[in-house]
Amino acid sequence: MTHPNVAARPTQAVVLAGGQGSRLRPYTDDRPKPMVEIPGTGTPIIGHQLNWLAEEGVTDVVVSCGHLAEVLQKWLATAELPLSVTTVVETEPLGRGGGLKYAAAHLPRPDRPWYATNGDIWTRFSLRDMADFHTERDAVATLALARPRIPWGAVRTDGFGHITDFIEAPPSTVEINAGVYVFSPEFRDLLPDRGDHERATFPRLARERKLAGFPLPQGSYWRAIDTVKDLTEAAKELDAGRA
């Protein structure tokens, strides 16, 4: 039996890959952040993302390039990819919202929903389930929500101030924006031509109860690759079979 929401699941996506990646130097001296290889895999972050998107039913991706765009474009032109990829380059900085709008204008099916993901996220979970969640809530935009592990050990105390336990790198008690999205077709027209959608478009949709948050399922792998330490941790998790 076909799931009633199958028709509403996106088959197109935008990957935002224009960041400078200054905290990942020296890796990003000669390549954009999404082109940094996950140690031990032989594949850059964006390669893992494109494989994941293809596994989740995506056939067309628009990659928004910026910093060292030609390096990313060259790799995309020569790599064996599981889906069709188009690249766009902002000729002037448009901000996060403007950049997203500019990239979305190049999607092949403007009247259909779409996914978007930040180019530095390494994750695995069911985008199909997230798309169904989005449809069931009649949302215009849905954000994936993660509880990343806190990089420090936590301390538990009792009511008298005695320490009762130490917890190594516990999950955060609050949810954060995981950098993966589902958008309805009308979302593009709500984006600013320039500027940040997280300060304008998202708060407006939240007030209208049109912004949904999809908690990543228990046990899902998620990591933002922001620093050299994140790369090291990702390699360790890969070795441990978690990634």
Side-chain angles (χ1 to χ4, degrees), residues 36-242:
V36 173
E37 189 180 304
I38 302 284
T41 69
T43 304
I45 300 165
I46 194 165
H48 292 282
Q49 286 193 329
L50 295 174
N51 286 330
W52 173 51
L53 289 168
E55 286 165 12
E56 293 294 327
V58 173
T59 56
D60 296 271
V61 170
V62 176
V63 177
S64 175
C65 310
H67 173 65
L68 297 172
E70 62 285 355
V71 178
L72 180 49
Q73 288 171 318
K74 186 177 176 185
W75 182 82
L76 289 167
T78 55
E80 280 191 33
L81 301 173
L83 33 64
S84 173
V85 175
T86 310
T87 59
V88 296
V89 183
E90 291 174 34
T91 49
E92 53 185 326
L94 299 173
R96 290 194 299 175
L100 191 57
K101 187 174 194 173
Y102 179 68
H106 295 79
L107 288 166
R109 294 173 287 280
D111 58 337
R112 305 293 301 148
W114 46 293
Y115 296 117
T117 178
N118 295 345
D120 57 0
I121 301 296
W122 192 27
T123 186
R124 275 286 189 281
F125 64 91
S126 173
L127 280 175
R128 292 181 174 94
D129 287 351
M130 184 176 170
D132 294 347
F133 180 96
H134 171 84
T135 303
E136 284 152 11
R137 277 146 193 83
D138 195 26
V140 172
T142 297
L143 286 61
L145 304 177
R147 288 183 188 271
R149 292 195 166 272
I150 298 168
W152 308 282
V155 175
R156 189 170 280 150
T157 57
D158 64 16
F160 297 100
H162 298 117
I163 291 173
T164 57
D165 202 5
F166 292 91
I167 306 143
E168 189 57 41
S172 164
T173 54
V174 293
E175 293 174 311
I176 65 153
N177 178 352
V180 180
Y181 311 89
V182 182
F183 296 133
S184 293
E186 64 268 33
F187 179 74
R188 183 167 73 89
D189 293 333
L190 302 177
L191 286 165
D193 292 328
R194 288 171 177 275
D196 190 347
H197 58 295
E198 296 199 5
R199 294 190 180 166
T201 313
F202 280 174
R204 175 185 157 185
L205 288 174
R207 285 193 298 273
E208 295 169 359
R209 294 290 185 269
K210 290 288 186 181
L211 186 68
F214 175 75
L216 292 193
Q218 192 76 31
S220 299
Y221 183 78
W222 181 89
R223 180 174 283 282
I225 308 290
D226 285 321
T227 64
V228 175
K229 187 176 183 220
D230 290 324
L231 272 182
T232 315
E233 292 295 319
K236 274 192 212 160
E237 287 161 348
L238 190 68
D239 272 352
R242 281 179 52 201

